[in-house]
Amino acid sequence: QVYLVESGGGAVQAGGSLRLSCQLSGNIVDRICLAWFRQRPGNEREGVAALYSNETTTYADSVMGRFTISRDKAKNTLYLVINDLKPEDTGMYTCAADRWSSGFAAPGNCQRADHYEGVGTHVTVSS
């Protein structure tokens, strides 16, 4: 069992930056894929950024260049930095963890295996 708790969301102005955090605890395996998803109003949930335990990162095309995923292993914390925030970034951001064996999923996603996720943190971007 892996537990994930997101924080850092809130209301921000367009053009600003935000750092979301995801605190992990429990049975965190060495070979792991960590990802951030978002659910925007009127849109399907989408994976935006993924980080594999070999330090490979992948991003959805829609966020490339503005989103940065990283991890502090010592703190068991996953981060997502969002720069140049846009109103269309408004939504619920959720972090997830999957056991990783081999290969890479679609950009911004992890292959589902022993999947766990948090409840999310909401971001509202005003123009």
Side-chain angles (χ1 to χ4, degrees), residues 37-116:
F37 294 83
R38 70 177 178 185
Q39 177 82 61
R40 296 182 291 174
N43 289 270
E44 293 185 358
R45 195 169 89 148
E46 59 178 335
V48 294
L51 171 64
Y52 292 79
S53 51
N54 69 349
E55 304 302 321
T56 297
T57 57
T58 66
Y59 297 92
D61 288 344
S62 58
V63 305
M64 187 77 72
R66 293 195 302 120
F67 286 33
T68 303
I69 188 171
S70 64
R71 178 187 182 189
D72 186 328
K73 290 184 180 180
K75 295 182 179 180
N76 279 336
T77 304
L78 179 72
Y79 301 102
L80 182 70
V81 173
I82 309 173
N83 293 317
D84 189 23
L85 279 155
K86 305 176 185 301
E88 53 264 39
D89 292 322
T90 294
M92 182 68 78
Y93 287 75
T94 305
C95 60
D98 288 86
R99 177 177 49 81
W100 178 46
S101 55
S102 64
F104 300 103
N109 290 272
C110 298
Q111 294 173 341
R112 290 291 178 102
D114 296 337
H115 179 83
Y116 299 96

